[in-house]
Structures are given as structure tokens and as C-alpha cells.
Amino acid sequence: MFLRMEAARPRRNEARTRLLDAAVTVLRRQGYAGTTVEDICTEAGVTKGAFFHHFRSKDDLAVAAAGRFSEWLEALFERSGWRGHADPLDRVLAYVDFRIAIFRGAIPQYTCMLGMMVQETYATNPAIRLACEAGIRLHAAPIEEEIAAAMREHGVTGFTAGSLAVHIMAVVQGAFVLAKAVDGPDGAVETLRHLRRYIAMLFREKAP
Amino acid sequence: MFLRMEAARPRRNEARTRLLDAAVTVLRRQGYAGTTVEDICTEAGVTKGAFFHHFRSKDDLAVAAAGRFSEWLEALFERSGWRGHADPLDRVLAYVDFRIAIFRGAIPQYTCMLGMMVQETYATNPAIRLACEAGIRLHAAPIEEEIAAAMREHGVTGFTAGSLAVHIMAVVQGAFVLAKAVDGPDGAVETLRHLRRYIAMLFREKAP
DNA sequence: AGGAACATACCAACTGGTCGGTATGTCACG
DNA sequence: CGTGACATACCGACCAGTTGGTATGTTCCT
């Protein structure tokens, strides 16, 4: 049997990929209810027929787009090299520093699609909510790991690595909300600096 | 002439008030794009005619509802008595404690309408964005005051009162996003505990 | 005082446009 | 030739806003 055909699709499903990328772009800019299926089609340069050929519904696409965004986010942080430090505490701090460095350009370019979409859909679209939750958890997992390592290495106790990872996620999401409310990143950056200081203090406290 | 008629309005503007209250309830639950004008009318028990008699547009109502929510929020915190402590630092901590205590019941009952709406509308409805920003700033102002007083009284420097107030707002908003993402308040409460600890540490640091 | 003139508060039915989704193609390729 | 990948045309539901009306004040004039 030679039925494996995995790689036998040169430009196959090209429209699907473009739709997904377009969805991330537009959903991030306009939110879920604020974007129409045709907005996404226009951005992708395909027609509605193509859209509903590849996705059963708008909800379906939103779930897929959440996954796509999540992958993109992980790749972005992977490339940043925040885990490339000897001391795990430095890794955690480098994560926050990279978060700060990211606040450049227009608001939709640095804010989080997952946090935005989940606010709109948590009550009405369970599948989307779950996809957003999964993306956030996936992103938080390595941070929690590094925090746990740092706590071990520095002999710090008094809180759980998970709770601090959640705290970091919350501050980041809150920073995005504020940036949108005030229409600029300045306050958001200040917030992340406070977060950085907090983490540093938590670990300096127990140092000799 | 007894032309004063102030109190001579038994049911004057009753519908308007009910529409505003209904708007706060429904917008908080479903967001801006997710609620129809008729949703609000149904909740208020009036017709669309009444709605458009009192408000020029859906946008117009959203702005008014933001103001209404803001008033309600200020009254809520006023009643909580968080400013009733001798030491301004205790007041700031009491604010956070009250925020923690509030996480009860269903999600729409403890989350913030302003933070939710501004995410949806910041790019498309400048008036709504501004109303949300104003509400948040109004809420942050007394906190900033108390922080400034605490810094003075405890001789703490190294950051501005404004930036810490913004940080508190961000953590609170981020906690709401997380609560919606994971469909429960537990992580959000943990986040606020971290915030509380941070504030305590900031002021303990410089103490003798 | 009394009633014409006007204003306010609300209602029910409708409209014009939008949007998610469908039905029906067409065409390339294996 | 038939199947997957798209395009075109269209539908029904929904929704912000309108229209035209009624009922109940309020003001002003005589």
C-alpha cells in the first residue's frame, strides 16, 4: 500500500490557510461579533463559497483561528529566546521584558486575540471560550515551569508557581484592556514594569 | 403663582431609567455587539419606540449606560467603606480586599462593563471608548490619591502613585478576563492576592 | 376658569439593509 | 470522469432605526 499522500499537496488548501491568517488579523482588530464572514473573505481574497467549503460555520472558524493564533504566539515567544538564560528567574524576567518590548505599533498588533474574543463569547459560544482558554493555558505552561524551577533554585516559597503564572497572564491581559481604553500603550507598559518589579522582589526577599 | 412642579412627575422618565438599568444588566452580560436594542427593551419592559424616544441611537445608549455603570460602581465602593482606615496604606489594601470579596455569584455580576465594552468598541466607536475611559479614570482617581498619601506617610519612593493605580486597574481587568476564560473566579482571586502582596511588599520594603 | 395649542412619553408596525448560511454551479487535476 | 476546491447567486432571519399614531400632561390666552 502506497496510500500515504501527506505531502502531495502543493497549493492544496491554500485558501484555507489564507482564510485562517485573515481571520486572525481581522478578529484581532474587530473582535468576534464585530467581524463578518465577508470581512474575512475580503481580507483573504476569496469568496464566501470558499469560506463555507473549509469551515462549517463562523464559530468553527473562530475556534480554528484561536488555534492558529496560539501557534503563532508560541512561535513568536520561541523566537524571542526568553528561555535562554542560565537562571530560571532570569528566564521569567526575560519573558516579562519581551512582553514589554512587544508594545509597538498599532493596538491590534500587540494585543491578544484570545483575551479579546473570550470576553465576547464566553457566555454564548462554549467552543470558542474553550479554545481561548486552551491557548492561554498553553502559553502559561512553560512560564509556570520556569517559575517552579526558579522557586526551587532560589529556595522561595509562600505561593504556588501556578498562581504566579496566572497572575502574569492576568496582568498582561489587563494591560491590553487598558491600552485599548486609553488608546495607547504607555499605561500598559508601566503596569508590566510593576509586574517585573514584583517578581524580582518575590525572589530577592529570600535571598541572603 | 405656584409654578414649581419639580415633584409633580409621578412616572416621568420612568422608562428612561428602566432602559438605562436594563442596558447595564444586559450589556454586562452580552457585550455591546452581542446585545440588540430589543434585548434591552425586553429587559426594561418597554417598546422600541420608547427606546428611540429617549436615546438617539444604540451608541448613545451605550455611552449613557457607561455613565450609569460608573455611578453605580462608585456608590458600591463608597458603601464598602474602604477609605475608612487611619493609615492610607490600609485603605489601599482594603480596596483590594473588597475587590476580592466581590467575586461572588455569576460572572456578569462581578465583572466590569467598561472593560468589556471598550475592548469591542475602542476601534469603531470613539464616543463609547471615551465614556469607558472616563469611568475607569474616575474609579482610579481616589485610589491614586490614597497611594500618594501612603507613599508620603511611609516615605516610599521609586514609582509614581499614578502608575501603581493603573497597575491595580490592570490587574482587576485582567482578573475579569481570566475569570471569563476559565469560567470561574478562582484564578482571578489568586491574582488579586498577588497584587495585595505586591502592594504590601512595596511599602514594607522601606519600613525600618 | 376653561379650552385651544403645544409638548412629552410612549406604542405597534414597518423598512431597508446586513449577515450567516445554502444551493448550484464551474473547472482543474488525478 | 468524478471528486475536491473553489466561485456565483441567492435566501431567510435579524436588527437598527423610522413612521405615524395615541394618551396624557403643560402652557398660555381670554
Side-chain angles (χ1 to χ4, degrees):
Chain A
M1 319 178 212
F2 41 93
L3 294 183
R4 303 278 130 245
M5 49 159 171
E6 285 287 279
R9 312 182 160 184
R11 2 190 87 224
R12 213 80 171 253
N13 276 342
E14 198 199 328
R16 194 191 141 89
T17 307
R18 293 176 49 168
L19 277 166
L20 268 181
D21 286 340
V24 170
T25 302
V26 180
L27 286 174
R28 217 171 162 192
R29 191 170 60 214
Q30 306 174 5
Y32 181 73
T35 87
T36 71
V37 170
E38 254 161 15
D39 284 345
I40 295 169
C41 293
T42 304
E43 177 82 18
V46 301
T47 62
K48 256 209 297 204
F51 182 99
F52 283 99
H53 175 70
H54 290 289
F55 303 96
R56 256 173 310 180
S57 65
K58 192 187 172 189
D59 275 36
D60 193 34
L61 168 91
V63 171
R68 180 79 169 186
F69 177 82
S70 185
E71 283 169 21
W72 171 85
L73 190 70
E74 295 318 304
L76 177 72
F77 275 80
E78 182 73 33
R79 280 201 308 278
S80 84
W82 67 279
R83 295 185 99 171
H85 293 267
D87 186 335
L89 173 58
D90 287 335
R91 289 177 221 148
V92 177
L93 293 174
Y95 172 87
V96 178
D97 286 335
F98 184 60
R99 272 287 182 198
I100 292 174
I102 272 177
F103 278 78
R104 310 231 156 250
I107 290 181
Q109 279 159 27
Y110 56 77
T111 51
C112 176
M113 200 189 89
L114 306 176
M116 186 182 193
M117 252 201 329
V118 82
Q119 284 229 49
E120 289 183 82
T121 59
Y122 78 101
T124 48
N125 307 57
I128 300 179
R129 204 220 84 220
L130 256 170
C132 292
E133 179 182 0
I136 293 173
R137 283 197 198 279
L138 182 74
H139 187 69
I143 305 169
E144 180 175 347
E145 272 177 38
E146 299 298 355
I147 293 171
M151 290 174 74
R152 248 180 279 121
E153 228 166 271
H154 291 259
V156 170
T157 58
F159 58 93
T160 68
S163 75
L164 184 55
V166 165
H167 182 57
I168 294 175
M169 293 296 96
V171 175
V172 167
Q173 292 295 334
F176 293 151
V177 173
L178 274 198
K180 285 167 184 166
V182 189
D183 202 25
D186 295 357
V189 167
E190 277 181 343
T191 279
L192 286 176
R193 294 232 171 85
H194 274 290
L195 173 64
R196 194 192 196 283
R197 181 194 309 234
Y198 175 51
I199 298 170
M201 285 169 76
L202 277 177
F203 284 86
R204 214 182 301 142
E205 197 174 50
K206 287 277 175 162
Chain B
M1 317 185 220
F2 42 88
L3 294 182
R4 301 282 129 243
M5 46 159 173
E6 284 288 276
R9 313 180 158 181
R11 4 187 85 223
R12 206 73 170 263
N13 273 345
E14 197 199 328
R16 195 192 140 89
T17 307
R18 291 176 51 168
L19 278 166
L20 268 181
D21 287 340
V24 169
T25 302
V26 181
L27 286 174
R28 217 170 162 193
R29 190 170 59 215
Q30 306 174 7
Y32 181 73
T35 88
T36 72
V37 169
E38 253 160 18
D39 284 346
I40 295 169
C41 292
T42 304
E43 176 84 18
V46 300
T47 62
K48 260 215 291 209
F51 181 98
F52 283 99
H53 174 72
H54 290 288
F55 303 96
R56 255 173 313 180
S57 65
K58 192 186 173 190
D59 275 36
D60 193 33
L61 169 90
V63 170
R68 180 81 169 184
F69 177 82
S70 185
E71 284 168 21
W72 171 85
L73 189 69
E74 295 319 303
L76 177 72
F77 275 80
E78 182 73 34
R79 279 201 308 277
S80 84
W82 66 280
R83 294 184 99 170
H85 293 266
D87 187 337
L89 173 58
D90 287 335
R91 288 177 222 149
V92 177
L93 293 175
Y95 173 87
V96 178
D97 286 335
F98 184 60
R99 272 288 180 198
I100 292 174
I102 273 177
F103 278 78
R104 310 231 156 249
I107 291 181
Q109 279 160 26
Y110 57 77
T111 51
C112 176
M113 199 189 89
L114 306 176
M116 185 183 194
M117 253 203 326
V118 82
Q119 284 230 50
E120 289 183 83
T121 60
Y122 78 102
T124 48
N125 307 57
I128 300 180
R129 204 220 84 220
L130 256 169
C132 293
E133 179 183 359
I136 294 174
R137 283 196 197 279
L138 183 73
H139 187 68
I143 304 169
E144 180 175 346
E145 272 176 36
E146 299 298 356
I147 294 172
M151 290 174 73
R152 248 179 278 120
E153 228 165 272
H154 291 260
V156 170
T157 58
F159 59 93
T160 67
S163 75
L164 184 55
V166 165
H167 182 58
I168 294 176
M169 293 296 96
V171 175
V172 167
Q173 292 296 333
F176 294 151
V177 173
L178 274 198
K180 285 167 184 168
V182 301
D183 203 25
D186 295 357
V189 167
E190 277 182 344
T191 278
L192 286 176
R193 295 234 170 83
H194 274 291
L195 173 64
R196 194 193 196 282
R197 181 194 309 234
Y198 175 51
I199 298 170
M201 285 169 77
L202 276 177
F203 284 86
R204 214 182 300 142
E205 197 175 49
K206 287 277 175 160

